[in-house]
Amino acid sequence: MAGAVSALFLLDIKGRVLVWRDYRGDVSAKQAERFFTKLIEKDSQDPVVYDNGVSYLFIQHSNVYLMTASRQNCNAASLLFFLHRVVDVFKHYFEELEEESLRDNFVVVYELLDEMMDFGYPQYTEANILSEFIKTDAYRMEVTQRPPMAVTNAVSWRSEGIQYKKNEVFLDVVEHVNILVNSNGQIIRSDVVGALKMRTYLSGMPECKLGLNDRILLEAQGRSTKGKAIDLDDIKFHQCVRLARFENDRTISFIPPDGSFDLMTYRLNTQVKPLIWVEAQVERHSRSRVEILVKARSQFKERRLMFKILFTNGKMIELYSTATNVEIELPVSSDASNPDVRTSMGSASYVPEDEALIWKIRSFPGGKEYMLRAEFTLPSITAEEATPERKAPIRVKFEIPYFTVSGIQVRYLKIIEKSGYHALPWVRYITMAGLEVIIENLCLDFVRNSMFEDPYRPHALAPFQFES
């Protein structure tokens, strides 16, 4: 980071200082008042405010503003990421970060701020490590506190001496599809944003090696890349990954933190068609009656996957990539009433408070098309009194397990530990609706949704048979 932070402020929703920590002595508490005044004057939602030689970077969480002030030229992205890590640490300690939890835990808050930042430079932000030597009243140590080894050794994200009776690794490959489509159905922009999410329950200090169907790696090994390899862009790794090793031979080698973390995020700039396409047609039969005809079509191929389950005596089971929990939200006029809805699959209900018709389909296989027909009664009004119709988007939520748009594959995941125990890796692929897909007039807005209530239940996964 090019520069250092002068001070860190925690403010309430009215801009009053709850906690502030001065790191360099070149700003005062009055900077918070100047920041909040400038924030109110701003029309945009930019997370950066500049005033009289001081740069303010901030985020809002619940009813609390987290803000840094600096007189030096700092890396804005690094500081914003640090503020989000501060939120994660406070939520780990207090369950919820809000004004009341800060007022009730002033001492712990100041201790955490002193450990997470030193002289304006970010330090330790791993909640699991901080909790080993900064205790709340409920978990205060009865012996003299000593810094954990993780603070003083090269692996600051993992403590020594971790033990589990059953050693397991859960890996989720989660992809979100972002598409921008115009009113003619033409795709203007599309990309895939993916993440490798891990949850590890491993004893000791294991060494993990992960291999993907990366085109550069396969070409370097002299292996065929036809139809199998992908090009990853904008890769971001967790700090545990050895970057020098990856740059040298594209091997992802790391000592994982204990628990859940994002090992890697990536982006693919590739032409992607909407996985679920929705067409809507509105017909007015009279001034008081309107009919809506909707077609929903899945534009992905249903793939059959074969897995050998270790705890079923080696039997093979079949898994299909089918869209699940599909929910299509159709905008309806605010004065519509008396709905008469028929669907070829699933169920539909009118939600007047949201001015929408919700069509739910539990299972939507690939290559299928379903229809919905709905009639609404409108109040009788003259043409002069009519107002232009609101062109609201159609919103679609869905998940597709055992499916990836990019074609990314986990070729191997090796776990090596000096004690020689056997660890069981579990791998799952999930494609979700991305951030947004907007179509003027015929609007399509994909909304992110979680996959399972408990994403790491073993019975929802299959022990993975890796490619050699």
Side-chain angles (χ1 to χ4, degrees):
M1 190 166 58
V5 171
S6 298
L8 191 150
F9 294 85
L10 302 178
L11 313 174
D12 66 11
I13 200 66
K14 296 182 179 180
R16 293 172 298 197
V17 177
L18 299 173
V19 176
W20 82 291
R21 183 69 174 85
D22 185 6
Y23 293 106
R24 303 183 70 88
D26 54 358
V27 299
S28 65
K30 293 183 179 179
Q31 307 298 148
E33 298 178 8
R34 299 184 62 86
F35 156 75
F36 204 74
T37 301
K38 290 293 181 180
L39 180 63
I40 295 175
E41 295 174 355
K42 284 183 56 176
D43 295 330
S44 65
Q45 297 296 320
D46 295 336
V48 180
V49 177
Y50 182 81
D51 176 62
N52 196 25
V54 180
S55 299
Y56 305 94
L57 289 90
F58 73 95
I59 63 173
Q60 182 181 0
H61 181 84
S62 186
N63 58 355
V64 176
Y65 285 99
L66 294 88
M67 181 265 290
T68 63
S70 177
R71 293 189 180 274
Q72 299 184 16
N73 184 19
C74 297
N75 187 321
S78 296
L79 289 182
L80 291 174
F81 180 74
F82 171 75
L83 291 178
H84 283 286
R85 294 292 295 171
V86 172
V87 172
D88 293 340
V89 170
F90 285 160
K91 291 173 66 175
H92 174 82
Y93 271 83
F94 314 135
E95 294 186 358
E96 289 295 334
L97 173 57
E98 51 190 25
E99 179 181 345
E100 183 179 355
S101 62
L102 292 176
R103 293 186 182 277
D104 293 341
N105 298 277
F106 271 132
V107 175
V108 177
V109 169
Y110 275 108
E111 289 182 3
L112 290 171
L113 293 180
D114 285 340
E115 295 295 336
M116 287 189 287
M117 180 167 281
D118 183 23
F119 200 55
Y121 294 97
Q123 300 295 315
Y124 302 104
T125 58
E126 292 289 339
N128 292 335
I129 302 302
L130 289 169
S131 61
E132 291 189 19
F133 62 99
I134 297 181
K135 303 288 184 178
T136 60
D137 290 337
Y139 301 99
R140 190 164 302 279
M141 299 177 66
E142 297 179 358
V143 298
T144 304
Q145 297 186 21
R146 297 179 58 188
M149 290 297 296
V151 175
T152 57
N153 64 16
V155 186
S156 61
W157 53 88
R158 185 180 180 89
S159 299
E160 295 183 353
I162 298 175
Q163 293 293 326
Y164 287 102
K165 293 182 178 179
K166 188 177 182 181
N167 295 284
E168 293 180 304
V169 176
F170 298 89
L171 174 60
D172 275 2
V173 181
V174 183
E175 290 189 344
H176 295 87
V177 183
N178 305 317
I179 306 176
L180 179 63
V181 185
N182 64 13
S183 58
N184 298 323
Q186 298 174 334
I187 299 176
I188 300 175
R189 180 183 63 84
S190 66
D191 60 20
V192 178
V193 179
L196 271 62
K197 298 178 176 290
M198 296 192 72
R199 178 168 292 190
T200 60
Y201 302 99
L202 299 174
S203 304
M205 298 290 283
E207 174 81 17
C208 297
K209 294 182 180 180
L210 176 68
L212 304 174
N213 57 332
D214 184 1
R215 185 181 303 277
I216 298 178
L217 174 62
L218 295 179
E219 289 178 349
Q221 295 176 345
R223 306 183 61 170
S224 173
T225 60
K226 186 177 180 180
K228 293 183 179 181
I230 62 172
D231 296 310
L232 299 176
D233 301 321
D234 296 342
I235 302 175
K236 184 180 74 172
F237 289 110
H238 188 274
Q239 62 175 327
C240 66
V241 176
R242 296 183 176 88
L243 297 181
R245 177 76 181 275
F246 179 78
E247 293 173 357
N248 184 41
D249 58 11
R250 305 289 287 191
T251 299
I252 303 175
S253 175
F254 58 97
I255 297 176
D258 186 46
S260 59
F261 66 101
D262 287 356
L263 176 67
M264 182 184 96
T265 59
Y266 61 90
R267 183 174 59 86
L268 295 174
N269 288 318
T270 181
Q271 191 75 4
V272 180
K273 62 181 180 181
L275 298 177
I276 296 181
W277 183 261
V278 178
E279 297 178 1
Q281 181 179 357
V282 180
E283 295 182 4
R284 289 184 175 273
H285 298 286
S286 65
R287 291 182 177 179
S288 60
R289 190 169 67 91
V290 63
E291 183 178 18
I292 303 175
L293 179 63
V294 181
K295 292 182 180 179
R297 182 174 66 253
S298 56
Q299 301 190 125
F300 60 92
K301 294 181 180 180
E302 188 177 45
R303 301 177 183 176
R304 187 178 71 170
L305 305 174
M306 302 294 292
F307 286 94
K308 180 179 288 186
I309 303 300
L310 301 183
F311 46 78
T312 57
N313 298 324
K315 293 182 179 180
M316 301 294 292
I317 66 169
E318 296 180 355
L319 299 175
Y320 293 89
S321 54
T322 300
T324 60
N325 300 325
V326 178
E327 184 176 302
I328 303 174
E329 181 180 332
L330 304 160
V332 178
S333 177
S334 59
D335 51 5
S337 60
N338 301 325
D340 180 15
V341 185
R342 288 160 289 174
T343 64
S344 61
M345 179 62 67
S347 61
S349 59
Y350 176 48
V351 185
E353 59 269 20
D354 295 335
E355 300 179 12
L357 181 67
I358 307 297
W359 183 12
K360 295 182 179 180
I361 303 174
R362 180 172 297 181
S363 178
F364 204 141
K368 297 292 184 179
E369 180 177 289
Y370 300 125
M371 297 183 63
L372 175 145
R373 186 184 299 271
E375 292 186 6
F376 290 89
T377 301
L378 301 176
S380 299
I381 56 175
T382 61
E384 290 76 15
E385 296 173 338
T387 57
E389 286 193 28
R390 176 175 59 91
K391 296 179 180 179
I394 295 174
R395 303 179 184 272
V396 180
K397 300 179 183 179
F398 66 88
E399 308 113 14
I400 307 179
Y402 319 116
F403 179 89
T404 59
V405 176
S406 66
I408 189 172
Q409 293 180 359
V410 178
R411 295 175 50 242
Y412 61 83
L413 176 56
K414 299 178 181 178
I415 299 119
I416 304 171
E417 214 276 333
K418 60 183 180 181
S419 63
Y421 62 73
H422 175 70
L424 184 62
W426 304 78
V427 177
R428 180 177 60 186
Y429 299 90
I430 311 168
T431 294
M432 298 184 184
L435 294 177
E436 58 182 359
V437 179
I438 303 174
I439 304 179
E440 297 295 338
N441 300 327
L442 175 59
C443 297
L444 214 61
D445 189 0
F446 290 137
V447 181
R448 183 177 303 179
N449 195 18
S450 60
M451 180 58 195
F452 297 101
E453 293 180 1
D454 181 1
Y456 295 101
R457 290 180 295 179
H459 65 266
L461 305 171
F464 201 76
Q465 299 269 319
F466 295 105
E467 175 188 341
S468 59

